Amino acid sequence: MARVLVIEDDETTAREIVAELSVHGMTAEWIANGREGLERACQDGYDLITLDRMLPGMDGIDVVAELRRAQVDTPVLMISALSDVDERVRGLRAGGDDYLTKPFAPDEMAARAEVLLRRRQPQAVQRLRVANLELDLVSHVAYRDGQPLTLLPTEYRLLEFLMRNSGQVLTRSMIFETVWGFHFDPGTNVIDVHIARLRRKIDTAGQPPLIHTVRGTGYMLTAAQETASVTP
């Protein structure tokens, strides 16, 4: 069971995070002060840290920077009411692994936590495989049923993110920020356009669909439709 340290000064938000993580099979401990959170994170072996941006005792930016200076490589999900791009970039440059703005949907937070936990697992692989879809991480070539696919650079990055997290629901926000590298604009349809193009290349006639839409949330790459809310 993954251990998560929740560093958050707002009790309501902290309880919401702890409760949602527990639903997803994680055990979470709550610290309300930045400096105390830093000390706990350095002493105990946690699998993930959720870190508020503005904290008493020590600012979240300083906490994550100190963690990295102490060579603590635990993934950090920064959570902040500051939503502008500059703040997100600042948090990631300080050593954060992901940045989520308040207010947030609990399932979005949990989904990001699960992705960070999976990313921490050793990935010394040269190929990713889901059913008969393969991605060569060395040559950057994708294959479906042994046949090479012609992918544009953005399509390759999108497919790699989907395959590295196969079976995991990825929200539009997570996809946009990981593949395009900046804050998600809910008014854009760029993700849907690229998903449609990728589907046309991967889910060809006669092949079972691998890319599925999770209604109201995002997308999942999987060999099987696992829930009623997942549609090709």
Side-chain angles (χ1 to χ4, degrees), residues 3 5 11 14 17 34-35 58 71 76 106 114 117 123 133 135 155 185 192-193 221 225 230:
R3 293 181 64 222
L5 178 62
E11 182 176 354
I17 293 173
R35 190 165 298 280
M58 192 175 193
Q71 298 185 333
V76 174
E114 289 177 333
L117 287 168
Q123 294 184 353
L133 176 66
L135 188 64
E155 293 169 346
D185 176 4
D192 307 282
V193 170
L221 190 144
Q225 289 186 213
V230 177

Side-chain angles (χ1 to χ4, degrees), residues 17-208:
I17 293 173
V18 170
E20 186 67 22
L21 293 178
S22 68
V23 169
H24 289 260
M26 305 174 216
T27 178
E29 300 172 33
W30 171 39
I31 297 292
N33 180 280
R35 190 165 298 280
E36 292 175 10
L38 173 62
E39 292 174 359
R40 182 70 65 84
C42 289
Q43 293 170 1
D44 295 322
Y46 293 96
D47 300 296
L48 177 71
I49 298 168
T50 71
L51 177 64
D52 188 23
R53 168 65 175 82
M54 294 179 288
L55 290 163
M58 192 175 193
D59 184 81
I61 293 287
D62 295 330
V63 170
V64 71
E66 285 296 323
L67 283 173
R68 298 316 183 215
R69 277 193 284 270
Q71 298 185 333
V72 176
D73 64 354
T74 308
V76 174
L77 171 59
M78 300 197 71
I79 300 177
S80 176
L82 303 174
S83 60
D84 60 275
V85 174
D86 289 342
E87 281 297 329
R88 181 175 187 272
V89 169
R90 189 179 173 207
L92 296 178
R93 282 180 176 172
D97 296 277
D98 197 1
Y99 192 99
L100 180 64
T101 56
K102 298 178 181 179
F104 57 85
D107 56 349
E108 166 90 0
M109 179 275 303
R112 287 173 181 258
E114 289 177 333
V115 166
L116 289 177
L117 287 168
R118 292 188 61 170
R119 191 184 301 172
R120 187 184 175 102
Q121 298 172 356
Q123 294 184 353
V125 295
Q126 295 185 331
R127 285 201 174 206
L128 301 174
R129 181 180 289 106
V130 177
N132 63 350
L133 176 66
E134 294 184 62
L135 188 64
D136 190 316
L137 301 175
V138 177
S139 65
H140 286 201
V141 176
Y143 301 86
R144 183 81 195 260
D145 202 19
Q147 299 299 311
L149 307 173
T150 302
L151 301 179
L152 297 174
T154 302
E155 293 169 346
Y156 173 85
R157 293 195 302 272
L158 176 57
L159 180 59
E160 181 182 358
F161 186 51
L162 290 168
M163 291 187 71
R164 283 193 183 276
N165 299 283
S166 62
Q168 170 73 42
V169 178
L170 301 174
T171 67
R172 286 177 171 81
S173 177
M174 293 164 66
I175 294 171
F176 197 82
E177 292 173 11
T178 299
V179 176
W180 279 266
F182 47 92
H183 193 63
F184 178 62
D185 176 4
T188 183
N189 70 340
V190 66
I191 296 173
D192 307 282
V193 170
H194 279 78
I195 287 286
R197 291 175 180 169
L198 198 56
R199 273 179 167 150
R200 285 196 293 270
K201 295 181 178 183
I202 292 174
D203 294 341
T204 54
Q207 296 281 6

